Amino acid sequence: MAKQAHVRQSGDGQAFWMMNGLYEVKASSEETGGAMTVMEMTVPEGMGPPPHTHPGTESVYVIEGTVRYHIGDETFEGGPGSFFHIPEGTVERFEPTSTARLLITYVPGGVDKFFAEAGEPAQRRELPPQSKTPPDIDRLIEISNRHGMQMQPMPDA
């Protein structure tokens, strides 16, 4: 359990660039005594993660933009104000259908360590320059395995 209150202002804390997106840590596992990790993600259209599971729950609130969420065998559309809760071990992925800004809470914490290893420190609090090469999914799968996640290759279109 965290021993003190946690306050983070806009622009504070760690931020990573990954898969052409900006991933900002609002509350790390360390700061919450392992209880949760809270992240704000800005993800461009078409740049969602491959299918994956988490060793805990994931709750997603859409702040801006639109997403198509694949949860288990179901697909849901969401826009500003939409909320998704994904139980532990459920295969899920999202596809931004426009640039989306999301607030995501993972319980318990720890997923911030995945983003620290898989991403690179953000030089600015904005989307990174667009990469011309596709993401190295095999590398992401390997890193996710070390952090209790199970990531799969992207499904064929």
Side-chain angles (χ1 to χ4, degrees):
M1 178 176 270
K3 302 283 188 214
Q4 59 186 14
H6 173 73
V7 176
R8 176 147 293 140
Q9 300 297 327
S10 180
D12 289 348
Q14 290 185 300
F16 306 102
W17 282 343
M18 187 172 116
M19 294 181 61
N20 291 328
L22 173 65
Y23 296 78
E24 300 178 78
V25 179
K26 296 298 182 183
S28 71
S29 179
E30 183 176 294
E31 292 163 330
T32 65
M36 70 179 70
T37 295
V38 179
M39 299 193 59
E40 182 178 331
M41 300 178 182
T42 305
V43 186
E45 182 177 355
M47 291 306 300
H52 61 280
T53 64
H54 291 282
T57 64
E58 176 179 11
S59 297
V60 180
Y61 180 78
V62 181
I63 300 168
E64 294 175 355
T66 55
V67 296
R68 179 171 298 120
Y69 232 109
H70 303 272
I71 303 171
D73 294 329
E74 297 184 82
T75 302
F76 305 91
E77 302 291 329
S82 295
F83 179 81
F84 305 91
H85 177 76
I86 299 99
E88 177 177 3
T90 302
V91 176
E92 55 97 359
R93 71 183 176 94
F94 66 88
E95 302 170 75
T97 51
S98 69
T99 296
R101 197 159 62 98
L102 313 169
L103 185 66
I104 304 181
T105 302
Y106 301 93
V107 175
V111 76
D112 47 307
K113 293 172 178 57
F114 163 78
F115 289 101
E117 184 176 348
E120 63 179 273
Q123 296 174 21
R124 295 171 303 286
R125 297 293 172 130
E126 60 189 46
L127 291 175
Q130 294 292 303
S131 173
K132 303 286 189 230
T133 58
D136 184 345
I137 300 300
D138 290 338
R139 176 180 171 272
L140 292 177
I141 290 171
E142 178 184 316
I143 294 169
S144 71
N145 288 338
R146 286 198 290 273
H147 295 278
M149 300 164 56
Q150 300 296 313
M151 193 170 283
Q152 305 168 6
M154 288 296 277
D156 293 329

